[in-house]
Amino acid sequence: MNTYFSFLLASLLGMFSFNGYAQVVNCPSNTSEFPFETQDEWWDDSYSWSAGLYMPQQIGGPHTINTISFRLDNTTGSAGTYNDIRVYLRHTSVSNYASSPGYPGTAGFTQVYSGSITFGNVGTYSFNLSTPFVYNGTSNLELLIENRGGRYSSAEPWFDRTNDAGSGVFPGKVGANSSWSGATSSSTNRRFNLAIYTNPVNNTFCGAYPLAVTFKEFTSRCEGESIRLNWSTIAEINNDYFLIEYSEDGAHWEKIARVDGGGTTTTAKDYSFTHRSLADETSYYRLKQVDFDGTEELLQTIASGCHGIGSITVSPNPGTDFFRLQQISPGDKIEVYNALGNPVFHAVAKTNFADIDLSGHPKGIFLVAVISNDKKQVVKVVKE
């Protein structure tokens, strides 16, 4: 049985815990793929490599990486040692191996480890980097692992991995063969990452491949007789377009706009759309994102009240217990009433936003009033 473990170590990088904190996600599955191939034929020593991509949101900001660790979940057969293992890291703008690009070579990488590793019992295994790598927190990170030494073994260790990426998204690739030259001439893309972390605190961290869009915010403002909707993203993967839907009551929706997305990018992007059919009462808008394969995701729903004096925005709306009121001014008075007209919340704004706690109140419709000098704006909020 041929099993090459190439890409999974790359996948482990999603499990990073840099300098003491990590992104915590459930480990959904394990896999026998890793940067080192195991063969059960005695005549075939195996050589392999793997490469993987990780987004800034998986890594959690700028860090100095001193250790890369991964969790061995299961093994069969005896322990075995892999020799001439080399580990490389580099910053990159690439976020998806779109086709079989082949062995990447080491140009532009920093070599951070050279040595051997022995797999035995279930547990955590680590590379203590000979050269700490300073991650800048904004670029994508690419990991390359080479097994140039080959090894025969009937053992088949399994390692924790992250979730599958979306259709057509390949955050990793691998190559394997009975010789190193043969391994570098082969390549297979992978739709998952090895669950790894750095500077380990414990063995429970995993990192999932990010959503198609790393969403930042969705807001509105009044412009004359129109409402201008603004939203922004931090990064996008296979993002075909956005859908904007409109409702007058928060229950019945109609599509009013389609705005092209950025495809795959790690550059922050801003979007806007102006709705010129302004209702007299509160308007509800929701923003959806659609992948190239048709997969659809609801990002956020907001309510906007425009009555000729500006706008206020409440999100999420509908929501559950906590709501954020935006586009207000310090000193504004905030009053919230239930459907019977009874006051349930009041505050004075200290900044340009305020948080409203309705956790102690039943589901239903609430009215949020913002009073600024002699002007008053009212927005309906739906608690589900």
Side-chain angles (χ1 to χ4, degrees), residues 295-336:
T295 302
E296 185 177 289
E297 177 189 3
L298 176 63
L299 296 178
Q300 190 172 346
T301 302
I302 62 173
S304 181
C306 292
H307 305 287
I309 59 170
S311 68
I312 56 177
T313 300
V314 179
S315 63
N317 192 10
T320 52
D321 294 326
F322 298 94
F323 301 81
R324 172 157 289 191
L325 180 63
Q326 295 177 298
Q327 297 179 212
I328 58 178
S329 299
D332 286 354
K333 295 180 181 179
I334 304 167
E335 299 175 351
V336 181

Side-chain angles (χ1 to χ4, degrees), residues 83-104:
N83 296 302
D84 199 3
I85 301 304
R86 307 179 190 188
V87 181
Y88 306 83
L89 293 172
R90 71 176 173 187
H91 296 103
T92 181
S93 61
V94 176
S95 57
N96 176 32
Y97 298 123
S99 59
S100 296
Y103 172 67

